[in-house]
Amino acid sequence: QVQLVESGGGLVQPGGSLRLSCAASGFTLDNYAIGWFRQAPGKERERVSCISGNDGSSYYTDSVKGRFTISRDNAKNTVYLQMNSLKPEDTAVYYCAAPSGRLCTPPYGYWGQGTQVTVSS
């Protein structure tokens, strides 16, 4: 059974850092791209970052470039999202998701349950 489980969310002050983890079971992560998405109340879900499964190339939405870093540990079957210099507008539920192949292209058929990130003083 394919499963993605996020962890690492929480409450952090503006300027702080968090590291989100996406642990996979039921399949080998290094054969797949993994994307991080977020959805804030009243807003559409957006893709924040993605790492491909072929050459490890990464993508970031403009609002997080230079602050967020995506990485993968194939030995642990886990993808991470390191988030630095957090801003209140980063507050959202963060999800990891996997498409059907190695490229960061939809559709993303497998989703985790999400982890809440709140940036507030």
Side-chain angles (χ1 to χ4, degrees):
Q1 179 181 358
V2 173
Q3 192 172 15
L4 296 171
V5 178
E6 303 96 336
S7 61
L11 173 64
V12 64
Q13 292 186 343
S17 297
L18 284 173
R19 188 178 78 159
L20 305 184
S21 299
C22 173
S25 60
F27 70 106
T28 303
L29 260 185
D30 60 352
N31 291 329
Y32 292 87
I34 293 292
W36 281 99
F37 294 75
R38 67 185 179 188
Q39 188 165 22
K43 294 188 177 181
E44 293 187 356
R45 184 174 62 197
E46 66 168 338
R47 190 177 68 174
V48 174
S49 181
C50 186
I51 185 167
S52 70
N54 50 358
D55 60 3
S57 57
S58 56
Y59 157 88
Y60 301 94
T61 193
D62 286 346
S63 61
V64 308
K65 283 180 181 177
R67 300 189 297 123
F68 290 13
T69 303
I70 192 170
S71 63
R72 65 196 311 150
D73 185 336
N74 291 335
K76 295 183 178 180
N77 220 30
T78 300
V79 171
Y80 303 99
L81 186 68
Q82 178 67 44
M83 306 187 297
N84 299 327
S85 302
L86 283 162
K87 304 176 181 180
E89 52 263 42
D90 295 317
T91 296
V93 179
Y94 284 71
Y95 302 88
C96 63
S100 59
R102 295 175 177 264
L103 301 180
C104 290
T105 53
Y108 288 78
Y110 304 104
W111 291 83
Q113 83 288 351
T115 186
Q116 176 71 47
V117 171
T118 302
V119 184
S120 174
S121 56

